[in-house]
Amino acid sequence: MLSAVLLTLHIGAGSVALVTAVIAVFTSKGQKWHVRSGRVYAIGMTLVFLTAIPLALLGASIFLLLIAFFSFYLVFAGWRFARNRRGIPHAVDWASTAIMLTTGLGMGVYAGVLFSSGDSQWVTMSLFAGIAVALGVADGLYHRLRRATGGRRISRHLTNMLAGTIATVTAVLVVNVETNPPWIAWILPTVVITPFIVWWNIRTGLQYRSARQG
C-alpha cells in the first residue's frame, strides 16, 4: 500500500514537472509564465525526489537512489543560481555541491560493481558519474571564485535546469519505452538534449557580451 501511494505521488509529480519544464523552456526568461512554471517545476521535482528515496529503499535499489540525488541536485542548483543574484555562495550551496560530488563518486564506484557483474547499466552509471562530477566541480569553482553573476549566473541556471529536464524526460522514456540494451533509453535524452544546452549557453553568453559592449 505504501509503495503504491508513493509511486502514484511520484508519477503525478513527475508528470507536472515534465509539463512545466516544457513551458519554462519555451517562454522567455523573466516573463511571468517562465517564473511561475519554473517554480512549479522545482516543487514537482522536489516531490519526485522525496518519493524516490523511500521507493528506492523499499526496492533496495542503489541505482535509483543515486539517480534520485543526482536529478534533484540539478534542479536545486539551478534554482539557487536563479535566486542568488549576487553570486555569494551560502552554506546550502557548498553542502549541495559536496553531496553532488559524493554522489558522482558513488556512481563511479557502482558503475564498476555493475560492470563486474555483467550488468549493461554500468554504461548509464559511468555517464551520469562523469556528468555529476563535472557539474559539481564547475559549480564549486563558480562558488569559490564568486563568478556566478550576470551572464555567468544565467548560464549556470540554464545548464542545471536543462540537465534536470533531461532527467525528467529520461524517467518518462525509461518507464514507457523498452530498449535493448536498456541503457539506450537512459542515455538517449542526454545525447539529444546536451547539444541544445551547449548552444543555449553560447547564445546567452553572446547576448550578455553584446549588451555590455552596447
Side-chain angles (χ1 to χ4, degrees):
M1 177 63 74
L2 177 59
S3 295
V5 172
L6 288 171
L7 184 60
T8 300
L9 291 172
H10 185 78
I11 294 173
S15 299
V16 171
L18 180 62
V19 172
T20 51
V22 172
I23 295 173
V25 167
F26 290 102
T27 52
S28 299
K29 181 186 68 68
Q31 287 189 350
K32 178 178 67 176
W33 282 106
H34 179 84
V35 174
R36 290 182 177 178
S37 59
R39 287 173 181 169
V40 176
Y41 171 70
I43 293 171
M45 288 300 290
T46 300
L47 290 174
V48 167
F49 172 67
L50 293 176
T51 52
I53 292 177
L55 283 171
L57 293 175
L58 288 171
S61 176
I62 298 175
F63 184 93
L64 294 180
L65 185 63
L66 290 169
I67 294 295
F69 277 94
F70 171 74
S71 302
F72 180 67
Y73 171 81
L74 299 173
V75 179
F76 179 78
W79 175 75
R80 283 293 301 157
F81 280 117
R83 298 279 296 178
N84 190 4
R85 295 180 179 275
R86 297 176 61 190
I88 300 175
H90 295 81
V92 67
D93 299 309
W94 287 115
S96 61
T97 302
I99 291 173
M100 179 61 154
L101 288 171
T102 303
T103 299
L105 294 175
M107 285 178 160
V109 172
Y110 193 55
V113 173
L114 293 174
F115 178 78
S116 64
S117 66
D119 191 329
S120 65
Q121 283 289 30
W122 72 268
V123 177
T124 303
M125 274 288 102
S126 297
L127 176 63
F128 285 6
I131 294 173
V133 172
L135 287 177
V137 169
D139 289 348
L141 288 174
Y142 271 87
H143 294 327
R144 182 174 179 272
L145 301 175
R146 299 189 176 185
R147 296 181 60 199
T149 58
R152 295 191 186 100
R153 180 180 66 85
I154 298 300
S155 176
R156 298 316 300 168
H157 167 67
L158 290 174
T159 297
N160 282 286
M161 280 299 196
L162 287 173
T165 301
I166 290 177
T168 308
V169 173
T170 300
V172 173
L173 185 65
V174 168
V175 169
N176 293 283
V177 178
E178 291 187 11
T179 59
N180 187 23
W183 55 262
I184 292 177
W186 281 93
I187 70 171
L188 185 60
T190 299
V191 173
V192 172
I193 301 177
T194 296
F196 178 65
I197 297 177
V198 174
W199 169 81
W200 201 338
N201 271 286
I202 293 173
R203 178 172 174 267
T204 301
L206 291 174
Q207 287 176 341
Y208 273 86
R209 191 174 300 116
S210 176
R212 286 201 305 269
Q213 293 174 351

